[in-house]
Amino acid sequence: MSLFAKSKELREKRGKLVKEAGDLLAAAHKENRQLTAEEATKWDALHAGAEELRGQIEQVERQIEAERSLAARQEQDPPSPGQPGQPGTDPEQRTRLERDAFRRWCAGGMNALTAEQRDVVTRRVRELPSEARALSVGTDGSGGYTVPDGFQANLVEAMLSYGGIYAAAELLPTDAGNDIPWPSANDTGNKGARIAENTQITTEAEPTFAQTLLQAYIYHSKIVRVPITLLQDSAFDIEAKLTEWLAVRLWRIINEECTTGTGSSQPNGIVTASTSGKTAAATTAITYLELLDLEHSVDPLYRANASWMFHDNTLLALKKLVDSDGRPLWSAGMAVGQPDRIDGYPYAINQAMASTIEASAKTVLFGDLKSYKIRQVRNVQLVRFGEKYMDYLQVGFLAFLRADGDLVDAGTHPVKYLAQAAA
């Protein structure tokens, strides 16, 4: 069975579970009542099954996208023949040598690399800007390793798979860490005018200009200590494990500060930077009509590319809402690559947002989430501590990168929030 066929099969199975859960809600709405205890248990079980299938669908479709990207890259960059005495000329050979060099470096440092591997690493470092070269080669005590393309891609993919602000916002990679003033303009308050024939035009109307300053705060993963015995074990995939460990750690801190950061010596989080669109009538509940009010508080221009953002616990509450005709607001994406939706708009799960629907909590965001910019300076840098933990027969690894985030808003408010009523 092809991956496309497998994705279609899984989505159809999920669609049946979702429809059955929706029928339970519709029946209760028609009778103007809440779900019974038995129905609620069944509804929870149906959605648990749907969530399990969603995870399988994401894995299959991520593989489809990875193979599509690889095929496109191979089509654009056909392998060039290698030349004697020039190791790594062939892209595939160079990638293999980079990965082998990375694994050997993890286990034994720069001294463990072969001459051919050193040549590949040196060539890669020379391609970087001068600031990135300083700590990329040399002895273990004085430098790190600029990770291979494959490791970097896997790390970014892992961070994206966790969702949150990192996946929903626009990522802006830069080569240098200097401040970036991001300009914006607001001309929504101006309109043209009618004038009589042969009359001089004397009126002027300038748009309002603003700028958002993106800086480069330093984030690190904290040190990961790995026993030498594991590093020397060929069955241990150090690249996969480091990807998992470092991605989760970096994602958690960046996601948290780009969601609720104060903007003072840290990113201005999207919740902090957004504006009020609706205040719920209740402290612990959200209604369908309140979500509609939030939607329409955002200008139609931004609604064209809008999406929701909320905590997974909030999603559970929203899945139980129905519209005025008894139809669930939540709908599952049925076509390959199509996301699930709330009232027709896709959504992003962000575990850094309010986890409980409670008094004064900002529980739901809506708008053009791509208006939030995450600036990242170059790629992740990985540092190896070859001697510091040697008395424990362990090697330490630490990843760091520089990033910042803010919402670009010239006064048109592309993202708004729903807040619960105050106690």
Side-chain angles (χ1 to χ4, degrees), residues 222-257:
K222 298 184 179 178
I223 296 172
V224 176
R225 290 199 275 173
V226 183
I228 291 178
T229 53
L230 284 180
L231 292 173
Q232 294 176 341
D233 186 352
S234 59
F236 178 66
D237 190 346
I238 181 62
E239 185 172 348
K241 294 308 296 182
L242 282 177
T243 298
E244 176 185 344
W245 294 328
L246 303 179
V248 171
R249 293 183 179 192
L250 291 172
W251 172 81
R252 282 175 179 156
I253 181 60
I254 294 175
N255 185 67
E256 177 182 317
E257 295 200 344

Side-chain angles (χ1 to χ4, degrees), residues 118 262 325 334 358 377 410:
R118 278 178 172 273
T262 63
D325 295 320
M334 298 302 296
E358 59 185 7
V377 182

Side-chain angles (χ1 to χ4, degrees), residues 218-347:
I218 301 175
Y219 292 93
H220 67 87
S221 63
K222 298 184 179 178
I223 296 172
V224 176
R225 290 199 275 173
V226 183
I228 291 178
T229 53
L230 284 180
L231 292 173
Q232 294 176 341
D233 186 352
S234 59
F236 178 66
D237 190 346
I238 181 62
E239 185 172 348
K241 294 308 296 182
L242 282 177
T243 298
E244 176 185 344
W245 294 328
L246 303 179
V248 171
R249 293 183 179 192
L250 291 172
W251 172 81
R252 282 175 179 156
I253 181 60
I254 294 175
N255 185 67
E256 177 182 317
E257 295 200 344
C258 285
T259 301
T260 59
T262 63
S264 177
S265 300
Q266 59 182 272
N268 195 26
I270 190 171
V271 175
T272 309
S274 60
T275 54
S276 176
K278 179 67 178 178
T279 300
T283 57
T284 59
I286 300 171
T287 68
Y288 164 59
L289 294 180
E290 288 167 347
L291 291 180
L292 283 184
D293 286 341
L294 178 61
E295 283 183 27
H296 287 269
S297 72
V298 175
D299 189 276
L301 178 66
Y302 294 119
R303 293 208 301 270
N305 297 307
S307 55
W308 306 93
M309 180 177 283
F310 32 67
H311 192 280
D312 188 59
N313 292 342
T314 303
L315 172 62
L316 178 61
L318 299 185
K319 281 183 175 180
K320 298 177 182 178
L321 294 180
V322 295
D323 63 17
S324 55
D325 295 320
R327 296 171 299 190
L329 291 187
W330 181 84
S331 61
M334 298 302 296
V336 174
Q338 288 298 308
D340 299 338
R341 296 174 182 270
I342 294 286
D343 199 33
Y345 292 97
Y347 59 82

Side-chain angles (χ1 to χ4, degrees), residues 138-158:
T139 63
D140 291 339
S142 65
Y145 188 95
T146 302
V147 296
D149 290 337
F151 183 86
Q152 170 69 20
N154 292 339
L155 184 67
V156 172
E157 181 180 346

